Amino acid sequence: MKVLKTGAAVATAAVLALTATACGGGSKDAASDGGPSGGGKSDKIVIGIKFDQPGMGLKTPDGKYEGFDVDVATYVAKELGYQPDQIEWKQAVSADRENLISNGDVKFIAATYSINDKRKAKVDFAGPYFLAHQDLLVRADDSSITKVEDLNKKKLCSVTGSTSAQNIKKDLAKDADLQEFPGYSECLTGLENKAVDALTTDNSILAGYAAQEKNKGKFKLVGLSMSNENYGIGLKKGDKDLQTKINAALKKMVADGAWEAAVKKNLGPSGYKNEPAPQITEGS
């Protein structure tokens, strides 16, 4: 009888232990799934940025990430409940941005992502959080391009899928010999090697390249304002809750001075004159 009682006690203890383990395991998993602020989120957030845009979004040789877009995304992520070490950065080249969002590969994208109607048919935006203008980068000793019409018959480089390339094709210089490369770095190499005559994209991006130590004295901005580019944060279509939260984070970033500080830190060294923070219009 004693043996049976002991056996029953052991069995009961085992069951209780298993129950406690299961409950503990469930709590741990829930905490993990809930992320830093609960609510069913993952313990990390995947954010798309550019990896090759100095001053805006750059992956450095030592594996770090820097630039204005990185600072904005980090601030937004913190407002959503994520610390910097919980962010996974994913490269978002221009031609892949909509697919990355639609497929759920990223939570949102902050990658010099101009808001336009064509893109809004596929994704939603929060913001805008920055206003840039399309300009040209040429070699420092080239004085043959001073106005937009000078691009005709010239070899012009931009990135596949970018707004700048489409603007050139449709409106600005239809006779330009447009070369479209996967990234701005390839365009810059072509410009330096005289394979192309000019690189076009937003002045904020061009300023970042011109300000790099290795490029100082090699290139110059022409100083044209060929378009207004309102940068927005891209997110999955229909996610109004996330859109509202990101808009609130962007407003807070401007109000507490972090936005201005990020602009000066990342773009100030090039002498770039930024526009004031734009009014948020998406989702309103």
Side-chain angles (χ1 to χ4, degrees):
M1 231 17 216
K2 249 185 190 179
V3 175
L4 290 174
K5 284 184 180 178
T6 304
V10 171
T12 302
V15 169
L16 290 172
L18 285 171
T19 303
T21 302
C23 290
S27 298
K28 184 177 180 182
D29 290 343
S32 176
D33 290 342
S37 59
K41 293 186 292 187
S42 171
D43 59 354
K44 69 175 182 179
I45 185 169
V46 183
I47 302 174
I49 57 169
K50 291 292 180 66
F51 279 13
D52 65 343
Q53 291 180 354
M56 296 303 291
L58 182 69
K59 182 178 181 180
T60 65
D62 59 357
K64 295 179 180 178
Y65 302 90
E66 60 184 35
F68 178 71
D69 279 344
V70 175
D71 288 347
V72 169
T74 301
Y75 189 101
V76 169
K78 187 175 182 180
E79 290 301 303
L80 294 176
Y82 297 91
Q83 296 303 311
D85 62 357
Q86 292 172 302
I87 298 174
E88 178 183 326
W89 300 108
K90 190 173 186 67
Q91 186 174 23
V93 299
S94 295
D96 291 343
R97 289 178 297 202
E98 285 83 28
N99 287 335
L100 288 172
I101 293 170
S102 299
N103 295 338
D105 296 322
V106 295
K107 188 68 172 178
F108 64 80
I109 286 180
T112 58
Y113 201 2
S114 297
I115 301 170
N116 62 40
D117 290 339
K118 183 178 179 181
R119 289 168 178 166
K120 285 171 70 172
K122 299 178 181 178
V123 301
D124 279 340
F125 286 94
Y129 64 92
F130 194 82
L131 174 59
H133 303 287
Q134 186 178 351
D135 200 356
L136 300 171
L137 191 70
V138 298
R139 290 180 291 276
D141 60 356
D142 186 354
S143 58
S144 67
I145 301 174
T146 59
K147 58 187 183 297
V148 66
E149 291 80 9
D150 294 334
L151 293 172
N152 288 309
K153 310 302 182 185
K154 295 283 188 179
K155 291 182 178 179
L156 177 67
C157 191
S158 192
V159 170
T160 304
S162 72
T163 303
S164 300
Q166 301 309 315
N167 288 343
I168 293 295
K169 281 182 177 180
K170 291 196 305 184
D171 303 316
L172 301 173
K174 295 179 180 179
D175 292 330
D177 182 6
L178 182 61
Q179 309 290 313
E180 294 183 88
F181 291 170
Y184 294 106
S185 298
E186 291 92 335
C187 281
L188 200 70
T189 299
L191 183 59
E192 184 174 5
N193 296 338
K194 299 186 177 181
V196 297
D197 300 305
L199 162 57
T200 186
T201 188
D202 303 344
N203 52 8
S204 56
I205 300 169
L206 297 177
Y209 280 116
Q212 280 189 297
E213 192 64 36
K214 65 180 181 180
N215 294 329
K216 284 184 179 178
K218 293 182 181 180
F219 309 108
K220 64 182 180 183
L221 274 75
V222 175
L224 305 177
S225 292
M226 295 183 280
S227 70
N228 293 329
E229 303 299 335
N230 282 290
Y231 294 165
I233 291 182
L235 59 142
K236 186 166 284 190
K237 198 161 186 63
D239 194 342
K240 299 301 181 184
D241 181 59
L242 181 60
Q243 184 185 52
T244 299
K245 289 178 180 177
I246 293 177
N247 279 337
L250 294 174
K251 290 176 183 177
K252 182 178 178 182
M253 187 177 186
V254 173
D256 67 15
W259 184 92
E260 187 69 30
V263 173
K264 289 180 178 178
K265 181 185 79 171
N266 293 292
L267 300 175
S270 69
Y272 176 74
K273 306 297 183 185
N274 66 283
E275 301 274 5
Q279 291 295 313
I280 290 176
T281 58
E282 297 304 304
S284 59

